[in-house]
Amino acid sequence: MYSKETTKQLQKVTAELLKKDPASLTKKELEALRSALRFHEYRYYILNDPLVADFEYDQLYKALEKIEGLDPGLITPDSPTQRVAKGLTKDFPNAPHLVPMLSLDNSYNSDDLLDFDRKARELTGLNVIEYCVEPKFDGGSISLVYENDILVRGATRGDGVEGDEVTTNIKQIRSLPLSAKFSDYGLQVVEIRGEVLINKTNFAKYNQHLIEQGLAPLANPRNAAAGTLRIKDPAEVAKRNLEAFVYHVSYYSLARGKKIPAELTSHAASLKMLWDLGFRSPEREKKVFKGMEGVIRHCSEFEVKRDNLPYEIDGMVIKVNDLALQDKLGMTSHHPRWAIACKFKARQGTSKLLNVEFQVGRTGSITPVAKIQPVPIGGVTVSSVSLFNEEVIREKDLKIGDTVLVERAGDVIPYIVKSLADARSGKEKKIIFPKTCPVCNSPLFKEEEEAVWRCINIECPAQVVERIIHFVSKDAMDIRGLGDANVRKFYDLGLIKDIPGIYTLDFNKIGTMEGFGQKSIDNLQAAILHSKKQPLHRLLFALGIRFVGETTAKTLAQAINHLLDLKKFSPEQLQGLEDVGPKVAGSIYHFFSNKNNIDILEQLEKLGLQLKNQKKELSAAGNLKGQTFLFTGTLPTLKRSDAEAMVEENGGQILTGVSTKLNYLVVGEDAGSKLEKAKKINTVRIISEAEFLQMIRKK
Ligand code: IVH
């Protein structure tokens, strides 16, 4: 897409644009700005190899927004700002596909594939057929139309003849270009097909977020991706970080006088064309083979790699490479005769629902867990499956004794797809949700907009144990050697009653217990001691305050000097912090208004835990304490972002513009208007990078 030279050129353009005050950018610089932004989106979303820091991208993006805001006549439909949509979508209009969106024929073993090859050879009269093989992405299929290089429509598959028009949602997918130079290939209207995905990491993050909100997590990345396309709030769609692969040109019209380009004579070449146009096609994953033997080998080799990929695939797709041959082979009403899917081993199995147990979580949430007859799925024996909440049981109409279909996709926790109602004998029993906590017997409560019932007895032993388990977990205080089983054991024996109890453990007593040698006791003691030094944000996360995940914990820690400062924050003040909404603010406020919680925190401080924000103390003591800085021009050795981080680490502050508040302007090559402005203010000291570095090194 971008040659080495263009890349260099665009980096230079970026550096120049970054030096400029956004307000001073001219209309002429507008296209350069857009090109630079598109280039950086490509580096980030397609190549996964960004060349600028996030804040630098944001700086450019904001500059573009500003210029376009001043004169909306300058906005183009493919401007990087045009992905963002405000407001809600009313309905998704019908979108007839230019060419029907067919399904694929499936194969499950090498005989099926050899059969497919034999038929294709018979129909074409050829001895050997060339195939292109690529992954079968497991998401939601989409169809995109580009007219005169501009994305004009995005649609879901629907019934294959017409789908839903979801253009605004599709535009939230940063790996799909809003414009692509199809005209360079003589093409006017182009319809392309692809798959929308949510990668495994983003899926897990999103589910974590749902769980924290007391909602049921989504079953698998496939449902998450397909479902997201039909959300009526594009801003919510943008938050889910969808990705897309495109793998098929289903229709094109040629511009007047143009011939079919060589890129549209083979499937492999069309993937390369799409890649060169800035799409994420399986250009790097595809492989071409003469005959079926190599294909079969390749498919089984790829299956092994399946779990290492960042996204889900459920097989491979084998396509006749020559597009003229594809035409010759044609299609049935269901699938093309020129392609076949080779499905990987199913990650589903059937089992019997034996019983439902109800577990109490850290925040008192009651989770129904189905105990099923052990069934091997994808190499793992599954005997326990979370049902998430009462609604899931109702929606899926599950009964004890039911035969159930269970799925385990990749890293995803196993779940029940459905019960097989036809297999019922009539003896199945209704699942009864408890009215009281299965552990402490207190009555259960459910908030109106929540799907989860909760035990609100803060002393509930199940909750206390879960809170301790969370406190010691890897991402929290990271106390190794004190895993789930030991916490439960120590709690049952009365060795730990609450979180401070971790720090007063009787190691002599533990020493007398079976399975605890001197070495494991030494290790445990060291791990507990080490945890006292964990930074404040970890401690904040470890407390298990509802809705306070790792990110919010970091935000909170940055805003305070001492953990108990949070006692003084009102819900409104809390909402002033980044990404803290009313729900999160309410929960934090509630936590710090509870005397018991404050007692626990005071005990922890006495026991030697770090409640002070050490980072802040460090920077307050830094060499640049109280000084303000601004950088301009290209620095000889430092990256701008690194230099700015150094200022903050040493107690200094970065300003956004030249003013009388500024103490130091650090000047690099090609410094522009900021330098001129600074020269006019007597109090601003203009220094070089070397002088700046010396200030930091000074003791
Ligand atoms: S080609 C005319 N290639 O699988 C056939 N499909 O089970 C066009 N899929 O509806 C489809 N990865 O949504 C093709 N590399 C790939 C694919 C792929 C996933 C989906 C597609 C299709 C479904 C059929």
Side-chain angles (χ1 to χ4, degrees), residues 402-572:
D402 265 351
T403 305
V404 287
L405 186 62
V406 184
E407 181 165 325
R408 194 187 69 87
D411 305 337
V412 179
I413 48 169
Y415 67 99
I416 292 185
V417 182
K418 58 178 178 182
S419 74
L420 306 176
D422 290 348
R424 279 188 179 155
S425 67
K427 286 195 189 133
E428 292 74 19
K429 281 199 225 113
K430 199 168 174 234
I431 299 168
I432 313 231
F433 213 89
K435 292 269 172 279
T436 56
C437 173
V439 175
C440 73
N441 232 3
S442 316
L444 301 180
F445 290 92
K446 185 161 83 109
E447 280 178 45
E448 219 168 88
E449 73 278 22
E450 282 207 350
V452 175
W453 286 93
R454 282 176 201 282
C455 162
I456 56 162
N457 169 20
I458 197 101
E459 313 272 297
C460 171
Q463 286 183 52
V464 176
V465 170
E466 292 301 327
R467 279 203 294 272
I468 301 174
I469 289 176
H470 173 74
F471 189 88
V472 304
S473 64
K474 191 165 160 279
D475 295 330
M477 300 301 268
D478 192 20
I479 306 184
R480 293 175 198 189
L482 202 54
D484 294 17
N486 281 342
V487 170
R488 286 183 210 286
K489 200 185 277 172
F490 295 168
Y491 184 86
D492 289 343
L493 292 170
L495 286 167
I496 301 184
K497 290 198 182 65
D498 52 15
I499 287 171
I502 300 167
Y503 297 94
T504 55
L505 260 177
D506 183 346
F507 290 101
N508 289 332
K509 214 171 218 168
I510 297 175
T512 64
M513 286 165 60
E514 209 178 306
F516 285 92
Q518 194 52 45
K519 191 150 188 243
S520 60
I521 290 187
D522 288 349
N523 287 343
L524 180 57
Q525 216 164 357
I528 291 176
L529 199 65
H530 177 258
S531 79
K532 291 187 179 180
K533 297 273 160 297
Q534 289 289 18
L536 183 57
H537 67 86
R538 272 188 178 253
L539 175 58
L540 248 162
F541 171 62
L543 294 175
I545 306 169
R546 254 184 100 195
F547 309 130
V548 178
E550 286 173 89
T551 317
T552 311
K554 281 187 184 152
T555 309
L556 290 174
Q558 263 170 18
I560 53 177
N561 292 316
H562 189 282
L563 185 51
L564 291 173
D565 289 352
L566 284 171
K567 276 200 302 186
K568 294 179 237 146
F569 277 66
S570 68
E572 291 72 31

Side-chain angles (χ1 to χ4, degrees), residues 99-106 133-142 157 193-197 245-248 250 267 271 282 313-319 326 331 334-341 343:
V99 170
M101 265 176 109
L102 298 182
S103 196
L104 283 169
D105 197 10
N106 286 327
V133 186
E134 67 207 34
K136 185 170 186 304
F137 305 102
D138 200 7
S141 40
I142 49 161
R157 179 174 187 275
R193 300 276 156 83
E195 203 82 358
V196 167
L197 311 164
F245 271 97
V246 297
Y247 45 65
H248 183 55
S250 48
H267 178 68
L271 292 182
I313 65 171
D314 60 342
M316 305 296 280
V317 184
I318 296 124
K319 296 174 181 173
Q326 284 193 2
M331 50 195 69
H334 172 261
H335 59 257
R337 286 196 203 89
W338 45 261
I340 188 162
K343 297 279 274 191

Side-chain angles (χ1 to χ4, degrees), residues 43-59:
R43 295 289 314 193
Y44 190 96
Y45 292 103
I46 308 272
L47 298 188
N48 223 338
D49 185 15
L51 291 177
V52 284
D54 290 359
F55 86 91
E56 289 171 323
Y57 172 88
D58 291 344
Q59 190 179 322

